[in-house]
Amino acid sequence: MTLLDLRGSVRITAALHRRVLWVALAVVLLASIALPAGRWYVHSLAEDLAATGCEVENTVPGCGIQVRGFLSRSLYVNKMFLFVAIAVNALPLLLGAFVAGPLIGREFESGTFRFQWTQSVSPARWLAARMAAPIAAVLLVLSAFVTLKASIWRDTLDTWYPIQWYDIPVYGAIGPVAVGYALLGIAVGALAGLLIGRTLPAMAAAAVVVGAVMAALVALRPWFWPAAYGPPHDGFNWVLSGQLDSPRLRFHPESHFWPLQLVETGILLTLAAVATLAAFMFLRRRHG
């Protein structure tokens, strides 16, 4: 299998599913425009409020309408950020279902894979091409989008509605775990599509497995890095147990964000590699 052959197979795969790819790209571009626009809007609102002489901290008679308007609109932008974060967290489920069903399961269900395998396309190259297109999209597009979202999240810390880094949807959208979960979704989807070979059951199985892994890792996340004990000094801290003024308070300070992210990403990449290897081994044993 040469790189040139693989590129040709990837182009064919992309052409077959170009509508889905264009829709996904349009959604990402829309979100990439909306998030910076929301950040600019909040800054503009703050400047307009300051120009009126009103302050949120010390609201005086005659400023109530302006302050309420500023806070309500700022809250709308905060909610938009959270909705986009939820969409990023749902992406692994969608990728797993897409790869398992339309990308692989449908070809086994219809038998079209046999025609391609008789056209000098080996089963391994066929599977590699189907996985290469979504993997390339995740590594290029999602990585850039997560970096943008992390930058905008940092700006929210100076607003009246700061977004906590440890909130489940936010944590999964502002660091490398977002890419790790997406790659896991692709790998599990490929394995489910090969094992089941039918579109809808493969999609359901991939979504259930990826969802179960996500739930398990979210539950285990606080233990991916040793927590700190004692009263937190400053910053946005993830309190796990105890009272804020207790010397035995157990928490993760904001400085633990990257260690937690990297440990979880390592677990995800390992699981994705195992699922990918299992998919190629199964394909080789059954159709090699």
Side-chain angles (χ1 to χ4, degrees):
M1 177 174 64
T2 66
L3 181 59
L4 183 60
D5 292 337
L6 183 57
R7 287 176 179 172
S9 300
V10 172
R11 284 198 298 269
I12 294 173
T13 301
L16 290 173
H17 301 278
R18 60 185 179 275
R19 292 183 179 178
V20 175
L21 294 175
W22 277 117
V23 170
L25 180 60
V27 171
V28 172
L29 288 176
L30 181 62
S32 299
I33 295 172
L35 288 175
R39 177 178 60 178
W40 171 84
Y41 182 58
V42 171
H43 290 174
S44 177
L45 289 174
E47 293 175 356
D48 292 343
L49 181 66
T52 65
C54 297
E55 297 180 357
V56 176
E57 300 96 327
N58 303 303
T59 304
V60 296
C63 287
I65 295 177
Q66 291 89 334
V67 170
R68 284 196 298 271
F70 167 74
L71 291 177
S72 63
R73 289 176 176 84
S74 299
L75 183 59
Y76 292 152
V77 175
N78 174 283
K79 290 181 178 179
M80 179 186 69
F81 185 98
L82 292 177
F83 288 151
V84 174
I86 291 172
V88 173
N89 280 262
L91 183 62
L93 301 175
L94 299 176
L95 281 171
F98 173 72
V99 174
L103 207 59
I104 293 178
R106 182 178 297 171
E107 294 211 17
F108 276 90
E109 195 170 32
S110 62
T112 55
F113 70 96
R114 295 189 182 91
F115 173 77
Q116 297 186 53
W117 291 359
T118 60
Q119 303 299 310
S120 69
V121 177
S122 67
R125 194 175 77 193
W126 172 85
L127 178 59
R130 276 156 185 63
M131 296 182 66
I135 287 176
V138 164
L139 293 178
L140 294 176
V141 179
L142 184 60
S143 298
F145 183 73
V146 167
T147 302
L148 171 66
K149 193 164 179 62
S151 173
I152 294 174
W153 160 76
R154 179 63 62 178
D155 279 355
T156 69
L157 302 181
D158 296 326
T159 68
W160 285 97
Y161 297 102
I163 298 175
Q164 305 295 342
W165 63 269
Y166 50 81
D167 288 343
I168 292 177
V170 177
Y171 183 91
I174 60 173
V177 297
V179 177
Y181 276 111
L183 294 177
L184 177 66
I186 294 171
V188 171
L191 182 58
L194 292 172
L195 290 175
I196 299 174
R198 292 193 297 162
T199 303
L200 293 180
M203 293 175 69
V208 168
V209 171
V210 174
V213 173
M214 294 176 70
L217 292 183
V218 167
L220 294 173
R221 184 173 292 162
W223 288 272
F224 287 158
W225 195 257
Y229 287 88
H233 300 292
D234 52 22
F236 295 90
N237 302 291
W238 181 9
V239 177
L240 304 176
S241 63
Q243 301 295 325
L244 288 178
D245 57 351
S246 169
R248 297 303 297 169
L249 177 70
R250 182 170 176 265
F251 68 100
H252 283 298
E254 189 179 348
S255 60
H256 286 188
F257 171 80
W258 279 108
L260 289 167
Q261 283 268 333
L262 293 177
V263 170
E264 189 167 350
T265 302
I267 295 173
L268 290 167
L269 293 179
T270 300
L271 293 175
V274 170
T276 301
L277 180 61
F280 277 96
M281 290 181 63
F282 173 81
L283 187 66
R284 181 179 180 181
R285 173 173 293 186
R286 294 288 297 271
H287 305 284

